[in-house]
Amino acid sequence: MTYLDIFIIGIGLSMDAFAVSICKGLAAGRFDLRKALIIALWFGAFQGIMPVFGFLLGSIVSGYISRYSGIVAFILLFIIGAGMIKESREESCGNYGADVGFKTMLAAAVATSIDALSVGVTFSAYRMSILRSALLIAATTFVISAFGVRIGALFGDRYKQKAEFAGGVILIVIGVKLLLGI
């Protein structure tokens, strides 16, 4: 797996955070740089932390799954991607308001980054540098989330569902690539 693959995975993983960021920008009604940075920091940090936890968990069982790393990666990325595609078909913004308080952002950050935990397990099977990978995913999510708040403030939620769908497809394609060993 290359750093380009990790960057593309980071884009796919960040689509949930992007969708919620759009909703937060929509709820705010106008762009607020301070709020955009808070949202981006929360989402970026959690998208970076969760793969590390997944990597540590995966390291414990890596001896058992390393022979099947392509299959395991495909299954995990397919499940995550299919879930994102399913979510893209559901109601738009739900309960994501403009609030950027601690409890609200903690819940949103955990909810949008839980899939990154599974990706960390995949990284352990490939014996990758988890710190570089996590930082790349975190930085990608930070930028995309800040951009999402801006889009939400400008255009509303017409891009939310497309972003989640695209993120799901990206993760499935990367899973197929890993399964085939390309």
Side-chain angles (χ1 to χ4, degrees), residues 132-151:
R132 288 183 189 149
S133 301
L135 285 172
L136 181 56
I137 290 169
T140 302
T141 302
F142 176 87
V143 171
I144 288 174
S145 296
F147 188 63
V149 175
R150 180 71 173 146
I151 287 175

Side-chain angles (χ1 to χ4, degrees), residues 61-133:
V61 297
S62 69
Y64 304 106
I65 64 171
S66 62
R67 284 182 45 195
Y68 307 103
S69 59
I71 295 168
V72 171
F74 169 73
I75 291 170
L76 290 173
L77 292 173
F78 182 84
I79 290 169
I80 295 165
M84 288 177 72
I85 290 170
K86 181 181 176 273
E87 286 176 22
S88 76
R89 304 278 186 223
E90 295 172 0
E91 261 320 291
S92 36
C93 284
N95 297 325
Y96 295 109
D99 182 24
V100 293
F102 180 82
K103 285 183 185 178
T104 302
M105 289 309 303
L106 178 63
V110 169
T112 60
S113 66
I114 210 77
D115 49 359
L117 185 75
S118 299
V119 170
V121 172
T122 302
F123 289 169
S124 71
Y126 283 91
R127 307 209 191 284
M128 302 181 62
S129 168
I130 188 59
L131 293 180
R132 288 183 189 149
S133 301

